[in-house]
Amino acid sequence: MTPGPAVYSTAMILAVLGAFQLAAAHPAPQPAVYNARAGQTSVHAPMLDAAVTIDGQLDEPVWSRAAILTGFSEYAPVDQRPSPDSTQVLVWYSRDAIYFGIKAYEPHGAVRATLAERDNVSSDDNTEIQLDTYNERNRAFVFIVNALGVQADGIKNEQGGFTPGSNVMPGQNDLTPDFIWESKGEVTPWGYQVEIRIPFSTLRYPSGGHQNWGIQIQRNVQHNGYQETWTEAHKASASFIDQEGLLVDMNGMHHGQVAELNPELTNTVNGAPDAAGWRYTSKPQIGGNVRWAMGSNFVLNGTVKPDFSQVEADATQIAADERFALYYPEKRPFFVEGSDQFNVPNTLFYTRTIVQPAGAMKLTGKLGRTDIAVLSALDDGSQTANGSRPLVDVVRLRRGFASQSTVGLMYSDRVGGGRSNHVIDGDVHWLLDQQTYAQFQAVMSSTTQSGATQNAPMWEAVLDGTGRRFGYHYNVLGIGSGFADDNGFVQRTGVVQPGLNNRMTLYGAPGALLERFNVYLRTNATWRYDDFFAGRSLLEDNGSLNSQFNFRGGWSFNVSPTLASYAFDRAAYTGDYVSTPSGPAPFTPSPRITTFTTQLKVATPQYQHYAASASVTAGNDVDFLETSRVRRLDYNASLDLRPTQQLRVSATYQSSTFTRRSDGVKTLSTEIPRLKVEYQLTRSIFFRVVAQYTASKREPLIDPATGTPILSPSNGTYVPLGGTSSNALRADWLFSYRPTPGTVFFLGYGNTMTEPDALRFQQLRRVTDGFFVKGSYRWRAIGN
């Protein structure tokens, strides 16, 4: 007998009721919520066997099971306050990757977001994920996304000096490394959301076992200029990273063996006029990089003729002190990989001293708490006395001890071309308490050239205390005469330089116009190395009072008066002469000169479509080349425009002038206007045009005592020093296709024109031009 409709309906109703009863008895698991302001900073992120499409939607069911990080706090400009913006970060991981979903609520106005080039999101609303995978609390991977998912990435390192190859101080993000990961985001009516996948094959972390990883989330909000962190980070701390939370009991991650091959083909065609007309020469080059990640701990890199082409040429800098070289960042991928592990105080290793190696190899990794970094390169011989290629070797070891403290050793040499240079370093960074650290360094160099060997020391002692309202940084640096570091960046030798730096900070009440006021009192001195130990008078001294005002809405204003005095080391002017009735005589520098200058700077917030800043430095200064008193006037200004999400226009202007006080002659002038226009067609395709005009003029040097020219011997006679002038307009355009790090296609053209009179744009004459093309592809294989 067939059941009737009533029987079917009754059965269905009973089944539905049974399902409800089962659901009531076994409710779906609720995601764990970790509110950092409630002290919930140890996160059990679930390991889930799932995969998602990285499309920025966060709509797959797996996201409902992710751990939720919330309860953000304000960090800058004022710490220890709840964040005015609501943020949720979802996190879970699978066997081969860790996933993050960001929900950033923005009730105060429009989200700042552009379709930018990689690593160029600092003027957008963005969120940073900081992963301290070794839980050592002084170094972390950094992954940054803007509201559209555009990526920036790098390393945050709180120890050492400059990160090699970047102009990055301890505690700042070094964005030169590029990692392989996925992200996509969208602006929503309530703010923005981003979906992120970071493969474990991209990271370095301990091999095997259950692990705890440090984690910090930092949201950077443009409408008010605030930095907001997930854990409540305090200003009164010697370490920002140490205040992170934890991803606890992570296990089962698979890294694998990662092999990468990255061949590069470049060709540069340079043109210049000659007697027969305009002549072009072509310089094709084939090179490339190999990389082998031997599990999650060690990476072996190799390179043959690494490409030194850059997406954007180094922007010209104006030297504040003409006696010293300028520092430029590294951009070659081989040298960027693992560069933080070569970090050493006082920049004893500067990768741009390796000019054009025929080949190089590098091993970086970690054994327990010991960092290991080894590099060897056969460099170009064009800079050596006999043209032979020098061999460069660098070994850096650093061992962690106690809590966040480290002790390090470095050996560096450059041998070849008729010269050998060896440097050995020992350094210790010792965390005394949560607000105070001490750092010590001892270095010895040995240099042999033309059969003579010279040994000289370098040493430094540092004591640093970081309180919320008061802070200090005291140091003394000594560099012996004859100290040489052919692989480093040491601007000045034969000096002892103590420094005393004190800070006081005042915070405004919530909602006040003035949110934070910093005042820095800095005092520095310079002795000749031997004079310091003999108790003789100092060579230079400098004192400044830098006041910084941060106002509600993101405005800032700085004022920095500086009082200094300079004596002049006669040895620095050896080879300079003046004319006398009896013939050329050695130039005698002026007696001690006292100077006073003041700098004023103002910066706007990052508005939806623009931001600007301007500064002026004025006062009485010194021209070191002729040791004369001058009136100094410097201007710096910048304007960043973002008319659309895809178009960026950046205009900057720098100028510096010296006017000799004795006769009113403008002895030195430099003007550098620069315009950069970028159009980002897609995340991987952009067009860029950069135009920069450099106008510089230096009058002949005059002896302040006699008013006669300063001379230099040349081919048996004496010629006046100075008397140079240059007016050059450089324009470059570039097409770039870069879908992933290591896979790129660049096509560019640039030319240089000159004219007789500065900034007239008349009678411009082309003196050089060049075409540039580069193609590279990264093959990547991941094995067990």
Side-chain angles (χ1 to χ4, degrees), residues 393 485 698:
D393 296 298
D485 182 9
R698 159 67 81 171

Side-chain angles (χ1 to χ4, degrees), residues 58 63-64 66-69 88-92 99-103:
L58 303 178
W63 287 109
S64 66
I68 301 175
L69 280 54
Q88 291 184 352
V89 177
L90 315 180
V91 57
W92 60 279
Y99 296 81
F100 293 91
I102 298 169
K103 295 182 178 181

Side-chain angles (χ1 to χ4, degrees), residues 253-511:
M253 298 90 72
H254 175 70
H255 186 284
Q257 304 271 333
V258 182
E260 296 177 355
L261 179 63
N262 184 210
E264 298 175 335
L265 172 63
T266 61
N267 189 23
T268 303
V269 179
N270 293 317
D274 64 10
W278 201 264
R279 181 181 297 274
Y280 287 90
T281 59
S282 177
K283 186 181 179 182
Q285 177 174 294
I286 297 177
N289 308 297
V290 294
R291 181 181 184 271
W292 177 24
M294 299 176 285
S296 62
N297 248 338
F298 276 89
V299 175
L300 179 66
N301 297 80
T303 188
V304 175
K305 296 183 178 179
D307 172 39
F308 209 178
S309 65
Q310 295 147 17
V311 176
E312 179 182 339
D314 295 318
T316 302
Q317 304 176 43
I318 296 178
D321 189 334
E322 294 180 288
R323 297 173 294 174
F324 306 129
L326 296 170
Y327 189 100
Y328 289 95
E330 178 62 86
K331 301 180 181 180
R332 294 170 290 182
F334 169 80
F335 292 104
V336 166
E337 164 78 34
S339 61
D340 62 291
Q341 293 192 255
F342 289 94
N343 200 1
V344 63
N346 288 301
T347 323
L348 295 182
F349 180 43
Y350 176 42
T351 53
R352 284 187 69 153
T353 61
I354 304 175
V355 180
Q356 181 60 73
M361 293 191 68
K362 177 169 60 176
L363 176 69
T364 54
K366 196 174 184 71
L367 283 177
R369 299 190 66 184
T370 303
D371 289 329
I372 300 171
V374 181
L375 182 145
S376 184
L378 188 64
D379 201 7
D380 183 73
S382 61
Q383 306 298 316
T384 62
N386 60 15
S388 64
R389 289 183 175 272
L391 179 63
V392 176
D393 296 298
V394 181
V395 178
R396 172 65 168 160
L397 303 175
R398 185 169 55 193
R399 171 78 178 180
F401 70 93
S403 174
Q404 296 179 263
S405 300
T406 61
V407 59
L409 296 172
M410 190 202 76
Y411 171 77
S412 168
D413 67 33
R414 179 182 285 259
V415 179
R419 175 184 172 93
S420 66
N421 173 251
H422 306 265
V423 175
I424 187 165
D425 156 86
D427 54 85
V428 60
H429 183 96
W430 185 13
L431 191 71
L432 303 178
D433 57 42
Q434 292 304 306
Q435 297 185 18
T436 312
Y437 74 83
Q439 184 168 289
F440 305 96
Q441 182 180 32
V443 190
M444 180 64 69
S445 78
S446 178
T447 305
T448 301
Q449 189 169 5
S450 303
T453 299
Q454 186 171 28
N455 302 320
M458 169 193 278
W459 46 268
E460 184 181 35
V462 176
L463 181 65
D464 184 282
T466 305
R468 188 168 190 265
R469 293 189 178 275
F470 300 97
Y472 59 85
H473 182 91
Y474 304 147
N475 78 302
V476 57
L477 171 67
I479 308 175
S481 301
F483 180 87
D485 182 9
D486 290 2
N487 296 329
F489 185 80
V490 179
Q491 286 185 315
R492 192 174 189 179
T493 61
V495 294
V496 175
Q497 296 176 312
L500 303 175
N501 302 283
N502 295 275
R503 171 189 56 83
M504 182 183 71
T505 302
L506 301 176
Y507 300 94

Side-chain angles (χ1 to χ4, degrees), residues 667-686:
T667 60
L668 174 67
S669 66
T670 303
E671 292 182 89
I672 307 176
R674 180 181 174 90
L675 179 67
K676 179 168 65 174
V677 180
E678 298 173 291
Y679 185 78
Q680 198 80 29
L681 184 63
T682 69
R683 280 180 61 173
S684 58
I685 298 176
F686 77 83

